[in-house]
Amino acid sequence: MEPGAPLFRQLFESESSTYTYLLADTDTREAVLIDPVLETVDRDLQLIDQLGLKLIVAVNTHCHADHITGTGLLKKKVFGLKSCISKHSGATADIQLSEGDRIPFGKHCLTVRETPGHTDGCLTYVTGDQRMAFTGDAILIRGCGRTDFQQGCPKRLYESIHTKIFTLPAHCFIYPAHDYKGQTVSTVDEEKKFNPRLTKTLDEFVNIMNNLNLPKPKKLDISVPANLVCGLHDI
């Protein structure tokens, strides 16, 4: 960790291959949790306690379809915790986010970039120094989120990634919400060069996305209804 940089931990939930990210100010100890998962809430809280942090905000990159967010349970266990999600997600939360909003924690902050296409309410969170971007399901490592349900639109996703993520500095680290091959991080430069979908033209990309023929997520019918309400209510 470089001097002045936020404390950072990348955590993993194996059933849905979801990454949860913990960031904190090393002086004030204020912490933010990105994309918590219901089944790993106790693990996350144990780590937060061990590191002597104060969790103030739990944010989601979008309304997830493959797992239930841990936000509701976290609000039950952590007094005063605020939940955040996109105002376009259709989900409840204490704070409804939109383009340019900032989530402060100590001297640091995350800046919101709207990156719809996987869903209407997808957000990318960028650190103040633009060294890290938490991209949710918009862009994955050498891939991207599917666009065949939850208001998905391949054209919007392509435009979101090229205008909101690929315009970040080349060295900016990309931390996605999922990985299924054991990869943990990429960079803007890497994805611009090597992402097999996003190095295509828009028309080629749309054709690829419209012909993936993927099975629906196993927890789709459970996760989406739960995630629409648990930003304010306990599980």
Side-chain angles (χ1 to χ4, degrees), residues 72-92:
L73 184 57
L74 283 166
K75 285 177 62 63
K76 183 178 181 180
K77 290 175 174 281
V78 180
F79 178 77
L81 177 72
K82 299 296 184 183
S83 59
C84 301
I85 200 166
S86 168
K87 70 176 184 180
H88 303 296
S89 66
T92 57

Side-chain angles (χ1 to χ4, degrees), residues 80-116:
L81 177 72
K82 299 296 184 183
S83 59
C84 301
I85 200 166
S86 168
K87 70 176 184 180
H88 303 296
S89 66
T92 57
D94 298 308
I95 302 171
Q96 300 278 324
L97 297 168
S98 58
E99 179 77 20
D101 285 346
R102 294 189 173 190
I103 303 168
F105 56 105
K107 61 180 174 292
H108 303 286
C109 73
L110 294 172
T111 300
V112 174
R113 293 193 175 201
E114 294 181 344
T115 48

Side-chain angles (χ1 to χ4, degrees), residues 61-81:
T61 53
H62 62 293
C63 184
H64 303 278
D66 54 4
H67 68 271
I68 297 175
T69 177
T71 305
L73 184 57
L74 283 166
K75 285 177 62 63
K76 183 178 181 180
K77 290 175 174 281
V78 180
F79 178 77
L81 177 72

Side-chain angles (χ1 to χ4, degrees), residues 32 42 92 118 132 134 156 178 191 198 205 215-216 234:
V32 174
D42 288 340
T92 57
H118 172 61
M132 294 188 286
F134 302 92
R156 289 188 78 194
H178 302 282
E191 295 307 312
L198 294 161
F205 178 79
K216 300 296 185 190
D234 302 328

Side-chain angles (χ1 to χ4, degrees), residues 174-192:
I174 287 178
Y175 290 100
H178 302 282
D179 191 82
Y180 309 98
K181 298 180 180 179
Q183 303 168 110
T184 57
V185 63
S186 184
T187 66
V188 168
D189 188 53
E190 281 184 38
E191 295 307 312
K192 288 172 76 172

Side-chain angles (χ1 to χ4, degrees), residues 121-137:
C122 284
L123 301 177
T124 290
Y125 300 106
V126 182
T127 55
D129 57 8
Q130 295 195 342
R131 303 188 86 167
M132 294 188 286
F134 302 92
T135 58
D137 285 15

Side-chain angles (χ1 to χ4, degrees), residues 184-217:
T184 57
V185 63
S186 184
T187 66
V188 168
D189 188 53
E190 281 184 38
E191 295 307 312
K192 288 172 76 172
K193 290 178 178 177
F194 306 123
N195 192 298
R197 298 178 185 173
L198 294 161
T199 49
K200 307 294 186 182
T201 67
L202 172 58
D203 288 342
E204 290 171 331
F205 178 79
V206 169
N207 183 60
I208 290 170
M209 299 306 294
N210 285 340
N211 290 281
L212 291 178
N213 298 315
L214 298 171
K216 300 296 185 190

